[in-house]
Amino acid sequence: MRNIHSILFIICLCLFTLHSARDVAEASEDWPLDKITLRTATPDLSGLNHKPAGIHGRVMAQGDQLIFEDGTPIRFWGANLQAYAIYFTEPRNIKAHAKRLAQLGFNLVRIHHHDSDWVQPNIFGENAKTTTQLNPAWLNKLDQWITALKDEGIYIWLDLHVGRRFTASDGVENFEELAGGQDKADAVGFNFVSPSIERLMKEFQTAFLSHKNKYTGLSYSEEPAVIAVQITNENDLTHHFGNILLPDKGVPRHSETYMALANAFAKEQGFDAERTWRAWEFGPSKIFLNDLEHKFFDRMAQSVRDTGFDGLISTTSLWGEMSIAGLPSQMRGGIIDTHSYGWEGEIDFDPRQRAGLLDWLAIAQVDGLPLSVSEWNIGTTLAEDRFVAPVRVAAMAAFQGWDAMMVYGYSQQGLNGHVFPENWSIASDPGMIWMMPAAAILYRAGHIRQAEQTYALCPDASDFFGRSIAPDTSIGIRTIIEQSRLVTCMPETPALPWLTATNLTGKSYQDLDPDRSYLKSGSGVVEADTGEFFRAFEKGQFVVNAENSQIVAGRFHGEPVKTSNVEFNVDNPMAAIAVQSLDQSALTQARRILISISGRAISVHPEDENFRIEPITGILRIQARPDLELISRDGRVGDVSAAHTVKDGVHEIDLGKVKGSRWLYLE
């Protein structure tokens, strides 16, 4: 029945989306054209970064938090830099974009798709005949990025394997059955049972991390600005790739190895051999697959350590609607990583009915370990409400106590001018960029407190491995995470002696029942237990009401939305407006206040950098110091004082008169 309801929901959503897109396209014909470029003025949040990155020593885990060697606590607001952006950005623009990233509030960049075959050239060169040699010219490009980012106080996350495809010249055993008649072969899944693929991956790790950056004089393994490495991206057997090793998949030599390992594990543990190899089923197979993954990751992590790297190691990610049964093998690295992509209308969904972007992230928070989110975004192409996501993700990350957040991505294209509109290159997307500084402030400046209550998801081993416990199957997960903190426990599992069971003794937790709703029947609002934010999903509104950040994002209905010190009167059907203190004082006492304004931005054409930008109109009323003046630092806008009046300690700002400026200051 759940599948039928899901199909009907998706059909209705698609029809609604098509209708909405047509209506928006017609309305946007009168919206002014604008674009985001490197020359577009932004707020300057670079003061949040210490420079250069690495001056406090290595980043390490202390329980479920990240700290520097000198004891300084840290959390990371980051972005991916991927593919052609790495290799085709000119040196002067590398420095300029590193500076811009810092100004926007970022202090972490993940290097991604540097080895992917669809990127030409990549780290191996252009259409290389072998992937066993690193190309010096393209390594030099990466050196330039790392150096420029480090200088701006931005730390680095390095992936070691993303989209590398092996060639016939690489020396992969049984290459022909992996390649299927092609001249290249993927490694994902097969790496867990192929000694030759493992050897090649180790050789890459060693060469890559031992490479000395000629601009810093340090190898990547020595570089304190490199906080983490990930062994392999989105690569698991427990959910996605276990089935490719089965006897009916046309890879007989790899299947023979897989079946021998499964049978040996079943015999050793006293499991039913038939159930142990059946990768698609829950039960003994999930225990065996975790053990197989763990042994591989254990060997790979030791290879990383042998290079001298003593930072964080992520094995892979919880991604693509995986259940918690995919988490145990990630324990080897010391930090858990996860990915999630939402959809248009994320602001509207009822958590009693379906899962959203944030639910899939929350289940990866293992008690006692830090959590990174190396990919998040809205998956719907340039969704009209995408501007809500940055502040919502930032608020939830701070509330849950997550440690490193990375949007996917800053850019996938060369950053020398024209950037095509796409989800994966927010550098030129007004819908996302306008809310990124507000999100960075929420998360990095501590404007949102961690939850007051923590719920622990602690099934025993029979349930943990025996059934799918995930947001799409658990109303308990979906209805708790916007109200209180959630952590996942590791179960006592005799068959996995390397897995440390979670010990909650002495800790204050509530047990989470995955099958119970924690939202009152009939409620249209889900609210944080700190009282600092809520999502009114029946209205499609996300509201932050903290002492120094007050934000409304989502749908407006022709009526004012009031927080403690701000009244938002917005004429548009949807928008996002953030009013935030920049000096850590409460809004009513702050000497500097940033106002961020975002809304609908419609791409004109896939090969045109211009967007149709919906003008935002309405009135803001802000209780603040009466001596503050309204200022815009956008050189195109000029004087905005005509939009501003002050009476009885209330600043009234006419949004229709700010001449299109999306970042304003009261100071």
Side-chain angles (χ1 to χ4, degrees), residues 36 429-437 596-599 613 662-663:
I36 298 290
D429 178 11
M432 293 289 279
I433 281 290
W434 282 327
M435 278 294 119
M436 279 296 170
S596 302
I597 305 166
S598 190
I613 310 294
R662 297 300 176 125
W663 287 301

Side-chain angles (χ1 to χ4, degrees), residues 595-645:
I595 303 169
S596 302
I597 305 166
S598 190
R600 293 186 292 183
I602 310 300
S603 171
V604 173
H605 187 274
E607 297 184 9
D608 189 330
E609 61 188 322
N610 285 290
F611 285 77
R612 291 283 183 187
I613 310 294
E614 182 177 21
I616 304 298
T617 61
I619 302 293
L620 282 185
R621 294 186 177 92
I622 304 169
Q623 295 175 359
R625 293 172 56 95
D627 56 338
L628 303 181
E629 296 181 1
L630 187 68
I631 296 170
S632 171
R633 293 198 173 90
D634 186 340
R636 304 169 306 165
V637 172
D639 184 14
V640 294
S641 59
H644 178 224
T645 58

Side-chain angles (χ1 to χ4, degrees), residues 302-341:
Q302 185 56 56
S303 173
V304 169
R305 295 298 185 210
D306 289 344
T307 70
F309 180 75
D310 58 356
L312 302 166
I313 296 176
S314 163
T315 57
T316 188
S317 305
L318 197 77
W319 67 287
E321 300 187 352
M322 290 173 70
S323 76
I324 60 173
L327 284 170
S329 70
Q330 285 208 51
M331 301 286 283
R332 175 59 177 87
I335 186 169
I336 305 296
D337 186 57
T338 184
H339 298 168
S340 182
Y341 290 85

